[in-house]
Amino acid sequence: MLTGNVPPFMFAEMVKLVLLDLGDNCLSGRLPSSLSQLDHCEMLYLQHNRFCDVLHDNFNPTSASSSSSASPDIGPTWPQMSSLMRLNLSGNPLTGTLNLSTIDRILPQLQLCDICGTSIRGEGTILALIALVRIVLFGFTYRYVVL
């Protein structure tokens, strides 16, 4: 079992990585900013850890303890992960608002998204998720969602 914080630069040299599974560990702190360099990554499993970022409408995280101004080492920039097909963030104390209408533009290949057990709220239309095959949203709070 892995424990502790993941350094922001951890994945900087792993640019050809297709699958990253760090699920079911005791990892904590920020989502590492170097995740954004995994532009070939198709499957990202970070479920059941203790990551504690705040996701915003643009799907960019910032630390819950940081100010609203972002620095280069604050979380991954999801738009660079255009190959991502499966994303599992379930069971982490993540918070924020996720605009469902934005996900299809930022993550066009996304087919599976599991964010149950987080405190992420959603808004927008779920119809915008064109490629999505499965979405797990148990405990997901919607605001202004049109199905």
Side-chain angles (χ1 to χ4, degrees):
M1 178 172 291
L2 301 173
T3 61
N5 293 344
V6 180
F9 54 85
M10 178 78 168
F11 307 106
E13 302 297 321
M14 301 180 192
V15 294
K16 302 246 185 222
L17 195 67
V18 176
L19 172 103
L20 178 60
D21 187 348
L22 294 175
D24 299 310
N25 284 290
C26 289
L27 298 172
S28 57
R30 310 267 353 228
L31 292 169
S33 58
S34 58
L35 285 175
S36 65
Q37 296 173 1
L38 301 178
D39 56 349
H40 294 287
C41 187
E42 296 176 0
M43 294 170 254
L44 181 58
Y45 300 109
L46 302 174
Q47 74 277 6
H48 304 290
N49 281 290
R50 295 179 186 142
F51 291 115
C52 57
D53 273 324
V54 178
L55 297 179
H56 295 286
D57 285 343
N58 61 359
F59 219 71
N60 290 333
T62 58
S63 174
S65 62
S66 74
S67 66
S68 60
S69 61
S71 71
D73 282 338
I74 296 184
T77 305
W78 300 101
Q80 294 176 0
M81 299 185 75
S82 59
S83 299
L84 195 62
M85 297 171 66
R86 295 174 180 265
L87 175 63
N88 192 337
L89 299 173
S90 67
N92 283 287
L94 299 168
T95 61
T97 302
L98 189 59
N99 188 330
L100 298 175
S101 302
T102 307
I103 295 176
D104 192 58
R105 183 172 38 84
I106 293 174
L107 302 172
Q109 304 300 318
L110 191 65
Q111 295 178 5
L112 175 119
C113 183
D114 187 341
I115 54 176
C116 75
T118 69
S119 294
I120 298 171
R121 295 183 324 266
E123 62 184 39
T125 174
I126 205 162
L127 294 176
L129 304 174
I130 296 168
L132 202 63
V133 174
R134 180 175 179 214
I135 187 167
V136 182
L137 301 172
F138 299 114
F140 195 60
T141 304
Y142 294 105
R143 187 176 72 175
Y144 308 117
V145 173
V146 179
L147 297 178

